[in-house]
Amino acid sequence: MTDALHLVCPHCHTTNRVARAHLGSAPDCGSCHQPLFTAHSTALDEASFDKHISRNHIPVLVDFWAPWCGPCRQMAPGFEQAAKQLEPHIRVAKVDTEANPSLAARFHIRSIPTLALFVGGREVARQAGALGAADIVRWTQAHAPR
């Protein structure tokens, strides 16, 4: 494994190089100087989605959701708790399917909430339905590369 990782900033979406050894040291973005990890999910839209999926050298867990979806709202606090546990080894993100219908169509999202795990720009696992924080963490760790 290479020592330098590419990480996309959740704030300005600039790609940063971070030494693997410094991943847990709260690295900041070289461009906007904001933290690269916030212990919260990152909202992605059409413009930022592909950059985060293809340029992050760490897996990206995406929650496809909608504001009107009851199970999505029920899962949201658990998803944020999972972000605290999964970062900095997993980027945790959300895609509002109402605001970004073409992303939902592109990935054939048929029910929400749907979790999708991306590694190296490719989807490697998918889970439909609301989960609690512990189940989100367990599912993600079971499907993420070691």
Side-chain angles (χ1 to χ4, degrees), residues 39-40 75-87 132-134 136-137:
H40 293 286
M75 187 175 87
F79 194 70
E80 294 302 315
Q81 289 171 8
K84 291 176 189 169
Q85 296 176 53
L86 293 169
E87 287 188 347
I136 293 168
V137 170

Side-chain angles (χ1 to χ4, degrees), residues 49-68:
F49 182 87
D50 286 323
K51 189 170 201 178
H52 279 267
I53 297 307
S54 65
R55 293 196 182 161
N56 271 309
H57 282 176
I58 59 173
V60 180
L61 175 65
V62 179
D63 172 21
F64 289 92
W65 71 286
W68 51 262

Side-chain angles (χ1 to χ4, degrees), residues 2-51:
T2 180
D3 185 50
L5 297 173
H6 287 173
L7 301 173
V8 180
C9 177
H11 308 285
C12 71
H13 309 295
T14 298
T15 303
N16 292 261
R17 287 175 51 107
V18 176
R20 185 178 302 279
H22 296 156
L23 201 57
S25 302
D28 287 339
C29 176
S31 182
C32 72
H33 308 292
Q34 295 289 317
L36 289 177
F37 297 101
T38 63
H40 293 286
S41 64
T42 300
L44 300 180
D45 58 16
E46 297 281 339
S48 60
F49 182 87
D50 286 323
K51 189 170 201 178

